[in-house]
């Protein structure tokens, strides 16, 4: 998204204030401050950010702004912040439901800015789900909450989690559920819906004219023709047939143990995996510190670091900002293509 010939700023939400979000956000600003193509601002408590940065002996300046449009003017010399004070001061290294209202409010505001066309993308720092649950939040996590907000504003949303590391884009078809539940929740329609979203967004957001997709099998060796499970035949094969009939280039089901080496990865642009660890293990193995979570199927661009709040590292100055830097970079790359969902 662009305004007056320039790419609009990216909104970065504060995330769990007791975690490493404030630390890595300051480090990301240091990485981008001289980059004329990227500017971002933080939605969070400016006073708390100053205190945290002083704790880790950071000389990053924090400056309050009133609107996203002001971020570009400030960014070269200070970290811009739209101030959203916490009702109760957060404690570094600990989470508290008393900060949940501001954590959620920052996400709400970023979505409002995105849907109003005031930002090019949003990047979300990690949240502590326990704190939000204790405060009464009923949504499973960031992804479904963002879809809820989009729908509440009258937009269609079919959220799909895509994890990126190097040349690998991996989608867990089922996400945060017990492994024993996967065969019960995995359906042909779920695979079809997600594959359609992935193909569409690879075209529109990543500039891949003819996306090549792959599907893993659920069972070892993709079931070996039913010898080690029937899901490949009863669930995955029908989904493949439907998607191919729609003209989609898609292969599978591939045995997961041979689907992620370099030669295999060169044959597809994204791979849909049947459960969480099947997708996350190769992503984290390829680039543990630099993986990115990119949510497809939303009416705005959203990325996030592929890690948690790391409460034990908060305020130590030892947190690695590589994943947040990669998330901001990817969000900017998608935005600069000038495409819309």
């Amino acid at each position: 998204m662009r305004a007056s010939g320039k790419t609009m700023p990216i909104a970065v939400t504060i995330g769990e204030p007791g975690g490493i979000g404030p630390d890595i956000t300051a480090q990301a600003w240091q990485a981008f401050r001289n980059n004329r193509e990227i500017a971002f601002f933080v939605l969070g408590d400016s006073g708390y950010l100053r205190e945290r940065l002083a704790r880790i002996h950071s000389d990053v300046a924090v400056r309050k702004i009133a609107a996203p449009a002001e971020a570009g003017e400030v960014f070269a010399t200070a970290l811009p912040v739209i101030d959203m004070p916490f009702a109760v001061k957060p404690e570094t290294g600990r989470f508290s439901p008393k900060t949940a209202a501001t954590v959620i409010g920052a996400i709400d505001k970023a979505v409002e800015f995105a849907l109003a066309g005031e930002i090019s993308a949003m990047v979300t720092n990690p949240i502590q789900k326990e704190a939000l649950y204790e405060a009464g939040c009923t949504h499973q996590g960031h992804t479904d909450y963002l879809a809820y907000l989009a729908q509440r504003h009258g937009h269609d949303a079919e959220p799909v989690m895509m994890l990126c590391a190097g040349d690998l884009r991996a989608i867990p078809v089922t996400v945060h559920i017990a492994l024993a539940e996967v065969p019960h929740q995995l359906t042909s329609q779920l695979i079809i819906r997600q594959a359609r979203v992935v193909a569409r967004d690879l075209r529109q957001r990543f500039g891949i004219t003819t996306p090549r997709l792959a599907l893993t099998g659920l069972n070892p060796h993709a079931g070996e023709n039913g010898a080690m499970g029937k899901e490949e035949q009863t669930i995955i094969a029908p989904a493949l047939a439907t998607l191919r009939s729609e003209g989609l280039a898609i292969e599978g089901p591939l045995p997961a143990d041979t689907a992620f080496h370099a030669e295999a990865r060169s044959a597809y642009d994204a791979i849909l995996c049947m459960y969480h660890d099947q997708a996350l293990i190769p992503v984290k193995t390829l680039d543990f510190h630099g993986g990115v979570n990119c949510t497809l199927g939303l009416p705005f661009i959203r990325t996030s670091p592929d890690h948690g709040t790391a409460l034990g590292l908060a305020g130590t100055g030892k947190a690695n900002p590589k994943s947040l830097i990669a998330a901001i970079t990817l969000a900017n790359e998608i935005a600069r293509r000038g495409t819309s969902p």
Side-chain angles (χ1 to χ4, degrees):
M1 296 180 181
R2 297 173 181 270
S4 302
K6 295 182 179 180
T7 302
M8 289 181 290
I10 294 168
V12 176
T13 60
I14 188 66
E16 168 53 51
I20 62 172
D23 305 3
I24 60 176
T25 300
Q27 292 171 288
W29 176 81
Q30 289 175 313
F32 289 116
R33 61 177 299 185
N34 295 319
N35 187 325
R36 296 182 180 181
E37 295 183 351
I38 295 178
F40 65 83
F41 64 91
V42 181
L43 288 160
D45 188 320
S46 60
Y48 179 69
L49 276 170
R50 290 189 181 96
E51 289 183 24
R52 172 64 75 81
L53 299 187
R55 178 177 179 138
I56 62 174
H57 307 293
S58 171
D59 60 358
V60 173
V62 173
R63 188 177 304 171
K64 289 194 285 188
I65 61 173
E70 299 175 19
E73 299 174 4
V74 171
F75 193 76
T77 57
L79 175 61
V81 181
I82 290 184
D83 202 26
M84 301 184 69
F86 290 108
V88 175
K89 184 179 177 180
E91 184 177 349
T92 298
R94 295 181 181 272
F95 69 86
S96 170
K98 294 180 180 179
T99 64
T102 300
V103 171
I104 295 171
I107 300 169
D108 294 347
K109 183 60 69 173
V111 170
E112 291 176 15
F113 285 146
L115 294 177
E118 295 185 63
I119 61 174
S120 62
M122 63 183 291
V123 177
T124 57
N125 267 307
I127 55 175
Q128 191 77 22
K129 295 176 185 177
E130 297 161 83
L132 304 189
Y133 294 158
E134 287 183 29
C137 180
T138 58
H139 294 275
Q140 187 181 55
H142 257 131
T143 302
D144 66 318
Y145 185 59
L146 291 169
Y148 160 76
L149 291 176
Q151 291 163 353
R152 193 177 72 179
H153 285 279
H155 295 267
D156 292 331
E158 180 78 39
V160 173
M161 178 189 295
M162 184 170 76
L163 290 307
C164 306
D167 63 349
L168 175 62
R169 302 181 185 96
I171 297 92
V173 175
T174 62
V175 189
H176 296 121
I177 60 173
L179 189 58
E181 291 299 312
V182 171
H184 305 293
Q185 295 201 23
L186 185 68
T187 66
S188 298
Q189 281 305 119
L190 179 61
I191 295 170
I192 291 166
R193 289 200 307 270
Q194 293 203 17
R196 288 169 176 164
V197 171
V198 173
R200 184 198 68 194
D201 278 15
L202 287 180
R203 286 192 295 266
Q204 296 183 349
R205 294 189 168 183
F206 288 79
I208 300 172
T209 304
T210 306
R212 302 166 303 158
L213 302 187
L215 292 178
T216 62
L218 173 65
N219 298 295
H221 301 177
E224 282 196 357
N225 296 317
M228 288 189 286
K230 304 293 185 183
E231 287 84 1
E232 285 76 16
Q233 296 169 319
T234 61
I235 297 171
I236 300 174
L240 281 164
T242 297
L243 293 166
R244 286 169 178 157
S245 73
E246 296 174 357
L248 193 63
I250 186 165
E251 298 298 325
L254 305 179
D257 62 344
T258 58
F260 298 102
H261 61 84
E263 185 178 350
R265 296 198 307 272
S266 68
Y268 56 78
D269 299 303
I271 184 166
L272 284 81
C273 306
M274 298 303 105
Y275 56 92
H276 182 274
D277 286 9
Q278 204 178 56
L280 271 290
I281 288 172
V283 166
K284 290 181 182 292
T285 300
L286 279 174
D287 194 351
F288 182 76
H289 291 293
V292 176
N293 178 359
C294 178
T295 307
L296 308 179
L298 297 175
F300 45 81
I301 299 165
R302 181 262 179 158
T303 65
S304 71
D306 182 27
H307 59 66
T309 58
L311 296 169
L313 288 175
T316 67
K318 297 178 181 179
N320 191 322
K322 185 179 176 183
S323 187
L324 178 60
I325 291 170
I328 293 169
T329 299
L330 179 59
N332 181 68
E333 288 173 354
I334 297 172
R336 289 182 69 83
R337 289 190 185 98
T339 57
S340 59

